[in-house]
Amino acid sequence: MTASLVGPRPLHDQVREAIESQIRSGRIPPGARLQSERHLAERLGVSRVTIRRALDALADEGLVRAAPGSGRYVSEVALAEPPNALLSFTELGARRGLTATARVLRKRVRPATLEEAERIGIAPGAEMFEIDRLRMLDGVAVALDHTRVPIAIAPELPHVDFRKASLYSVLEEAGAALVRADYTTEACAANAAQARRLGVAVGDPLLLARTTSYDSANRVVELGETAYRSDRYRFHATLVRERRPGGGMTP
């Protein structure tokens, strides 16, 4: 690996960018072991501390993973949510240079349950579009997605080919572009069906994300539950301390 490190930007940022470019271009393929910190430092003419900071930043982005006693490797697939950004699965994959596809496991229109009606603000029994998908990046299974949308918002939903189509794009075309979402995550154990479809063992940890998404009119447009393989997904958040009246920080 070679790179020209010049300019006013911090060296660790330049090193991170150089390695990231090699990964995204495929010159360092998924699963490949990176050169040691000492080797990289010698080749790039920087300190090992600089290399370590760059590699740690790549790990935070999900591009690199550490194997204790073995070194650092390019992640095979690791999807990471940018802090405070509402993006579709397709958009998240595209940011990593990966192609998002889906296997549609179930797609139907059915009456809304009482709970769904209360959460969305529609009449019980109103038509709901429901879809279950296995989500993949470059053909690698990453997540199982369960989504529900009031059919009145986008009547064409049952006719869309969701093997490649983005739900967010379809909703935007229907005049219901999503602008914000309430998002919660928790750990769960894979059941037999999830394990079979995601290629993990029964009981392996998954990250379950629940989403309630809104459009610009503050309508609830989508209810979603997504179970991610824990080794192929990271969620980033930006946390800000609240200020007390008078300017001090909350203890």
Side-chain angles (χ1 to χ4, degrees):
M1 178 188 300
T2 59
S4 176
L5 304 180
V6 295
R9 288 193 302 127
L11 282 176
H12 65 86
D13 276 349
Q14 296 185 56
V15 171
R16 177 198 56 75
E17 188 175 89
I19 298 174
E20 181 177 351
S21 176
Q22 297 270 324
I23 292 172
R24 292 192 185 280
S25 69
R27 288 192 289 272
I28 306 178
R33 185 178 183 275
L34 296 177
Q35 296 171 338
S36 68
E37 291 180 3
R38 179 184 60 80
H39 195 116
L40 287 171
E42 290 175 354
R43 295 196 65 174
L44 297 176
V46 297
S47 70
R48 291 181 64 176
V49 172
T50 296
I51 295 295
R52 189 172 301 120
R53 290 186 66 182
L55 293 176
D56 286 345
L58 290 171
D60 288 342
E61 294 178 21
L63 288 174
V64 169
R65 62 179 178 84
S70 178
R72 307 218 195 197
Y73 294 80
V74 177
S75 299
E76 294 182 1
V77 176
L79 191 63
E81 300 263 8
N84 303 324
L86 178 59
L87 299 174
S88 70
F89 188 86
T90 301
E91 291 166 335
L92 287 170
R95 287 196 171 196
R96 291 285 311 277
L98 304 171
T99 300
T101 56
R103 182 188 307 160
V104 178
L105 305 174
R106 180 176 64 171
K107 183 173 72 170
R108 62 174 178 165
V109 176
R110 59 161 176 80
T113 65
L114 180 60
E115 178 189 3
E116 290 168 341
E118 290 176 345
R119 290 178 62 187
I120 297 172
I122 58 177
E127 289 190 327
M128 292 285 292
F129 173 72
E130 179 179 45
I131 185 169
D132 294 318
R133 293 172 289 176
L134 174 64
R135 308 308 305 271
M136 296 170 284
L137 293 174
D138 284 356
V140 178
V142 174
L144 286 167
D145 183 65
H146 175 63
T147 304
R148 292 152 290 164
V149 178
I151 199 69
I153 288 176
E156 70 277 15
L157 283 172
H159 311 294
V160 175
D161 182 358
F162 280 106
R163 289 175 295 180
K164 292 186 178 180
S166 166
L167 175 65
Y168 282 22
S169 295
V170 174
L171 291 173
E172 185 171 353
E173 291 172 2
L178 304 182
V179 298
R180 68 180 180 89
D182 296 328
Y183 191 93
T184 62
T185 60
E186 62 183 271
C188 68
N191 60 34
Q194 291 169 329
R196 182 177 69 255
R197 287 166 175 158
L198 291 173
V200 299
V202 173
D204 275 1
L206 303 177
L207 187 63
L208 180 63
R210 291 189 173 92
T211 308
T212 302
S213 303
Y214 303 80
D215 66 6
S216 59
N218 207 36
R219 295 182 301 173
V220 175
V221 172
E222 176 214 21
L223 302 177
E225 292 183 359
T226 306
Y228 293 94
R229 279 188 54 150
S230 59
D231 60 340
R232 293 178 178 171
Y233 177 78
R234 290 182 177 88
F235 178 70
H236 291 179
T238 299
L239 306 180
V240 180
R241 282 175 60 81
E242 294 183 351
R243 290 188 174 275
R244 294 178 296 182
M249 301 302 293
T250 301

